[in-house]
Amino acid sequence: HAQRSEAVAREFGAHAATDGLAGGGKLDAAIVAVPTHAHAELALALLDQGLDLLVETPMSLESSQARQLAGRDEAIEGILQVGLSEWYNPAWRAAVRRAGTVRSIEVERLHPRSGRGLDLDVVQDFMIHDLDWISRWLGEPVERLVARGRKCVNARWDEAEAELWFESGVRACLRTSRVADQRARTLRVEGTAAVIETDLISGAIEGVGPAESAHVEVRAEDEPLDRQLADFVLACRTRIAPESDGAVGVAALELVERVQQAIEAETMTRRPVGGDGS
């Protein structure tokens, strides 16, 4: 988008390069925010130019491409961060702390229809954020999962539900949609101390339980994207890996692929049998 690029460059006194991977040694870092199918190729080219990278989520279309990217970054000792912005959301952190020892987690992540991201399904595009932060925070493997999905108006899954059981017995139920009537991101955590409900957009938190005096509401004001960008800048300056590094991006995609495979398996079991028995 040459005109958009030039307009943004004028606003910030920068240079708009619309004819390739220009830089000429003047760049230190880049954010890869092109369509996902181009992430791997572009990111590899920029890494080879010596740039530190923040690659938007998902890191690539497939975990095999993500492993190639992470391996290249490790070989050249660069900085590679993946845009798993929900990891930086203080709202869920406050919720799980107040819940005590967690027994179950429920997340609903709903988005209205838009024309963006249609080269992905809803698991790759939206559910990946909750798969990432929950599995990373628990720090234990997923022992079992079941999932199902629906194609409503697009060629790929528009809605998905997944239920995961972790090694410690924690159960996570995730529901996401990109064809919802309105935007919503809600979290419910049941723990030994309380049941906590959180709006992940506003940061409003409400809790009920022995450790709560009454229905309480607090607000977390930090913007996750600001925290993510601050982590990227810090990593570039200190040469210490960011919290959401390439290995994290690979793990998130591997879990996405497990959910996708579970959806495909569930779809096959309910597919009607033809008259010839096929």
Side-chain angles (χ1 to χ4, degrees):
H1 297 282
Q3 290 182 336
R4 186 182 303 173
S5 177
E6 289 162 2
V8 172
R10 282 195 301 271
E11 181 180 354
F12 293 99
H15 172 67
T18 58
D19 55 354
L21 302 177
K26 297 179 180 178
L27 303 181
D28 298 310
I31 297 174
V32 176
V34 296
T36 305
H37 67 81
H39 277 189
E41 181 181 1
L42 179 58
L44 284 170
L46 293 173
L47 283 173
D48 286 344
Q49 289 189 22
L51 273 65
D52 295 327
L53 296 185
L54 168 55
V55 181
E56 285 295 352
T57 306
M59 194 172 171
S60 59
L61 285 176
E62 299 175 356
S63 61
S64 58
Q65 294 175 320
R67 282 191 290 272
Q68 182 184 7
L69 259 179
R72 181 75 62 85
D73 174 65
E74 185 177 351
I76 65 174
E77 299 183 346
I79 295 296
L80 175 61
Q81 181 172 335
V82 183
L84 290 160
S85 55
E86 195 64 44
W87 175 252
Y88 299 92
N89 193 335
W92 69 257
R93 294 173 184 270
V96 295
R97 282 197 301 268
R98 290 174 60 175
T101 302
V102 173
R103 293 169 175 164
S104 69
I105 299 171
E106 297 176 18
V107 184
E108 191 171 62
R109 184 176 294 268
L110 310 179
H111 292 255
R113 289 178 60 176
S114 76
R116 62 162 295 278
L118 299 184
D119 58 334
L120 307 173
D121 64 36
V122 74
V123 182
Q124 292 169 303
D125 201 8
F126 296 136
M127 188 181 283
I128 187 173
H129 291 282
D130 299 308
L131 292 169
D132 168 63
W133 79 256
I134 293 171
S135 61
R136 223 192 313 177
W137 176 74
L138 289 174
E140 57 191 47
V142 176
E143 289 199 329
R144 183 167 68 93
L145 69 84
V146 295
R148 61 182 178 178
R150 288 173 290 280
K151 299 175 184 178
C152 302
V153 295
N154 298 299
R156 303 177 189 272
W157 306 115
D158 290 314
E159 295 185 330
E161 299 173 8
E163 194 168 3
L164 301 86
W165 288 266
F166 290 83
E167 188 176 60
S168 63
V170 174
R171 172 175 162 268
C173 297
L174 312 179
R175 176 173 176 256
T176 188
S177 172
R178 61 180 179 186
V179 291
D181 292 334
Q182 59 186 8
R183 183 170 177 251
R185 295 180 187 175
T186 58
L187 166 67
R188 184 179 187 274
V189 184
E190 181 180 344
T192 53
V195 175
I196 305 294
E197 296 185 355
T198 307
D199 185 324
L200 294 173
I201 299 174
S202 70
I205 299 174
E206 190 173 275
V208 181
E212 303 287 342
S213 58
H215 286 268
V216 181
E217 184 172 310
V218 299
R219 302 184 73 84
E221 300 295 344
D222 275 345
E223 169 56 50
L225 285 175
D226 289 343
R227 287 185 165 203
Q228 175 177 277
L229 290 171
D231 190 24
F232 180 53
V233 172
L234 181 64
C236 293
R237 289 175 172 167
T238 64
R239 314 313 299 166
I240 297 173
E243 293 182 34
S244 299
D245 62 8
V248 167
V250 171
L253 269 175
E254 289 175 341
L255 197 45
V256 162
E257 289 173 349
R258 286 184 63 182
V259 172
Q260 290 172 323
Q261 290 163 7
I263 292 174
E264 292 291 348
E266 193 275 340
T267 302
M268 291 295 293
T269 62
R270 56 185 168 88
R271 184 168 293 167
V273 176
D276 59 355
S278 61

